[in-house]
Amino acid sequence: MFLDRIVATKRQEVETLKQTLSMADAEKRIAELPPCRGFERALVERNRPVGLIAEVKKASPSKGLIRPDFHPVGLAEAYERAGTDCISVLTDVDYFQGSNEYLAEIRQRVAVPLLRKDFTIDERQIYEARLIGADAILLIAAILTPRQLADFHTLGRDVGLDVLVEVHNRPELETVLEFGQATLIGVNNRDLKTFVTDLSVTEQLIGLMPAGVVAVSESAIATTEDVAYVRGAGAQAVLIGEHFMRQPSVEDAVNELLGPAKKEGAAR
Ligand SMILES: O=P(O)(O)OC[C@@H](O)[C@@H](O)c1c[nH]c2ccccc12
């Protein structure tokens, strides 16, 4: 099963991080960084009726190579011109052909808040995310114990990051709601264990979320009908990768799928 393999790889990566990243040193360096740009706030204040997290994604285990001609900074700049509220950057190397470098480079060039999209299983990865320039991290309920979810959420917030907590079924959502801290919750329409996608998962789960939670519908969104459906189900924001990555101009693709932005992307 892919998720188990990915987590096994992450354990190895964490072993390496233990050699290379001292927690005390990381804390010192983080204290000197400028504050994060508000990721969750950007989704609340959104540029369109539905908030948009657009993803920079070269490949995936389910689809293989998605965008052969892949220039992460150029893609992020195009997303910014399209008035994207937030950008998600895959940093996993082995399964998504992502890189921490991509996120760090994008951070230098765009003002849009960035999600570090990876499989977080250890505190050190949270420090690392902050140090490479992320504004938010993803916590995937399917690979964490309730205790880890709560602890990692607290640590993320303590170092200034926003936290997107991802669920795919009702037990996971109930665990997340039990610890009571999550304000930004993503429903993954893709089952990470089977890769089966089903937009109705969004409808099934968003109704169970308390008012005040910012709900994001993630994965397998590709048409205006898909967007209308998940909005109708209560999603305040959508996270879209593959559909944009398959279009020659991601800037045009954003405007075609979601309509014109209220304010132009930062013309810098
Ligand atoms: O490319 P898509 O189907 O539009 O999906 C984007 C995003 O939701 C997906 O990449 C994703 C959602 N949760 C994840 C967790 C890990 C890796 C990837 C993901």
Side-chain angles (χ1 to χ4, degrees):
M1 203 250 284
F2 257 107
L3 197 54
D4 290 339
R5 277 181 55 194
I6 294 175
V7 170
T9 303
K10 291 299 141 183
R11 291 219 179 88
Q12 291 172 2
E13 290 179 11
V14 166
E15 285 310 308
T16 308
L17 263 186
K18 284 183 185 164
Q19 319 290 316
T20 55
L21 185 99
S22 127
M23 305 274 252
D25 180 53
E27 273 169 24
K28 246 186 258 154
R29 283 157 58 204
I30 288 170
E32 284 154 23
L33 291 177
C36 289
R37 297 162 287 189
F39 185 92
E40 187 172 332
R41 194 183 60 231
L43 294 177
V44 172
E45 293 175 355
R46 51 191 176 259
N47 274 326
R48 294 182 171 86
V50 69
L52 174 61
I53 307 168
E55 190 156 273
V56 174
K57 183 184 199 181
K58 181 174 181 181
S60 74
S62 58
K63 301 294 174 74
L65 184 61
I66 295 171
R67 192 171 180 104
D69 181 26
F70 181 78
H71 303 284
V73 172
L75 291 167
E77 287 173 338
Y79 278 150
E80 182 171 55
R81 286 195 301 275
T84 300
D85 300 301
C86 296
I87 296 175
S88 163
V89 185
L90 257 314
T91 56
D92 171 75
V93 178
D94 288 4
Y95 302 91
F96 291 86
Q97 296 187 40
S99 157
N100 287 340
E101 298 302 312
Y102 296 162
L103 193 145
E105 287 164 14
I106 291 170
R107 168 87 218 225
Q108 304 302 314
R109 301 283 288 277
V110 309
V112 176
L114 303 180
L115 172 71
R116 194 252 187 128
K117 180 67 104 51
D118 212 314
F119 298 79
T120 300
I121 56 160
D122 188 272
E123 278 93 355
R124 285 172 184 78
Q125 294 166 291
I126 299 173
Y127 289 108
E128 180 185 51
R130 180 75 169 98
L131 288 169
I132 62 175
D135 302 291
I137 51 164
L138 182 72
L139 294 180
I140 302 173
I143 60 171
L144 299 171
T145 64
R147 180 65 190 267
Q148 285 176 317
L149 263 181
D151 288 352
F152 293 175
H153 196 279
T154 303
L155 179 63
R157 300 307 308 248
D158 283 350
V159 298
L161 294 158
D162 283 349
V163 181
L164 174 61
V165 182
E166 176 176 302
V167 298
H168 178 67
N169 55 41
R170 191 169 175 156
E172 287 173 10
L173 177 60
E174 282 165 358
T175 303
V176 170
L177 295 180
E178 248 159 57
F179 82 88
Q181 303 299 310
T183 51
L184 180 60
I185 302 181
V187 176
N188 196 350
N189 300 308
R190 181 176 294 112
D191 184 333
L192 287 173
K193 297 177 178 122
T194 61
F195 298 141
V196 171
T197 62
D198 177 3
L199 292 189
S200 78
V201 177
T202 286
E203 185 171 21
Q204 291 157 34
L205 297 187
I206 286 186
L208 305 171
M209 295 182 193
V213 164
V214 178
V216 183
S217 182
E218 310 175 0
S219 308
I221 296 167
T223 65
T224 50
E225 289 77 18
D226 293 342
V227 174
Y229 172 74
V230 298
R231 273 195 73 199
Q236 276 126 288
V238 290
L239 170 46
I240 301 175
E242 182 184 345
H243 169 73
F244 295 146
M245 287 295 107
R246 291 198 189 278
Q247 313 303 312
S249 160
V250 300
E251 183 179 353
D252 292 348
V254 168
N255 286 310
E256 277 161 25
L257 188 64
L258 296 152
K262 204 164 63 187
K263 78 174 191 278
E264 286 284 298
R268 301 192 310 157

